Amino acid sequence: MTTKQPLATNLATLPTRRPTRAEAEDAVRTLLAWAGDDPSRPGLLQTPERVADAFGEYFSGYKADARAELTATFDEPQGYDDFVLLTDIAFESHCEHHIAPFFGVAHVAYIPDGRIAGLSKIARVVDIYARRLQTQETLTGEIASAIEQGLGAKGVAIIMRARHHCMAARGVHPPGGMTHTSRFLGEFSANANLRDRFVAMTRERT
Ligand SMILES: [Zn+2]
């Protein structure tokens, strides 16, 4: 297969029918039994319902449109020509390989081309893509592309640092090991000085 996956996956466009809530809860019961427990014991009776609710929250990003968040912009008439930087945007996502949480912070900068976004909108874009099944690499790229295209930014830089539960729990990473990913688009990709300033300003503070 050489066709590229579309950036945004919406449940409505998936080829298979979306299972019902009852089917989702049955699936959780099956997993509980497969794990070796008894889904009918009192402590687990409400678990399928809670897991279905939790999935609704963890994966609410499928229903949201990140680019639409960036359509409400402000004109920036003063000719601001440096990057706008948001650091330490906390996020929590789930790895697409184990449905295990990974969480950390994103540092995002963009260079406006006459239009600036409300600051909360950048954090919202991070949240929308985080609330899907992800790899950290894909997540980083999707956020950068959405901001570049949705905002018409002249450049976008992003660094994400996260701890992956599936790595820690399975002993693949030493405890405390962090995964770092980055993406530089437009002027950040072309201009090493700009990139260096961004990296210096987002360096982990101890
Ligand atoms: Zn994993």
Side-chain angles (χ1 to χ4, degrees):
M1 288 293 286
T2 53
T3 40
K4 214 162 171 262
Q5 288 290 314
L7 197 61
T9 306
N10 290 307
L11 281 174
T13 62
L14 292 177
T16 49
R17 172 184 71 86
R18 189 182 188 204
T20 64
R21 167 93 190 196
E23 287 169 334
E25 292 183 15
D26 277 344
V28 176
R29 266 178 222 102
T30 300
L31 280 173
L32 289 170
W34 188 80
D37 213 316
D38 173 9
S40 66
R41 73 174 170 83
L44 290 179
L45 275 181
Q46 305 298 318
T47 299
E49 193 181 327
R50 292 193 197 97
V51 172
D53 284 344
F55 263 50
E57 290 169 23
Y58 299 159
F59 304 119
S60 59
Y62 288 109
K63 296 193 294 266
D65 181 349
R67 278 155 220 245
E69 296 287 336
L70 297 169
T71 54
T73 55
F74 307 97
D75 285 334
E76 201 298 293
Q78 308 299 324
Y80 183 84
D81 61 357
D82 205 351
F83 55 75
V84 178
L85 169 66
L86 280 91
T87 59
D88 300 286
I89 302 168
F91 73 91
E92 178 168 342
S93 189
H94 288 78
C95 84
E96 66 185 23
H97 303 130
H98 304 91
I99 325 182
F102 66 96
F103 49 90
V105 293
H107 309 302
V108 180
Y110 71 93
I111 303 169
D113 189 8
R115 291 195 303 140
I116 54 173
L119 296 182
S120 67
K121 300 296 185 186
I122 302 296
R124 175 73 183 131
V125 169
V126 171
D127 193 56
I128 286 172
Y129 286 110
R131 288 176 185 270
R132 299 176 184 187
L133 287 165
Q134 285 288 7
T135 67
Q136 188 176 327
E137 294 86 343
T138 302
L139 175 60
T140 305
E142 285 182 342
I143 294 166
S145 296
I147 293 171
E148 183 187 50
Q149 292 161 27
L151 211 52
K154 289 192 279 190
V156 178
I158 174 166
I159 288 177
M160 301 189 87
R161 300 190 171 100
R163 285 178 208 287
H164 288 248
H165 181 77
C166 59
M167 298 283 208
R170 291 159 59 239
V172 181
H173 269 189
M178 305 281 282
T179 302
H180 303 238
T181 49
S182 59
R183 184 96 168 126
F184 301 103
L185 300 176
E187 290 187 14
F188 280 103
S189 158
N191 185 330
N193 287 339
L194 206 56
R195 204 160 57 234
D196 289 348
R197 279 180 53 225
F198 169 78
V199 170
M201 289 168 78
T202 58
R203 194 155 284 147
E204 269 178 304
R205 293 163 287 279
T206 50

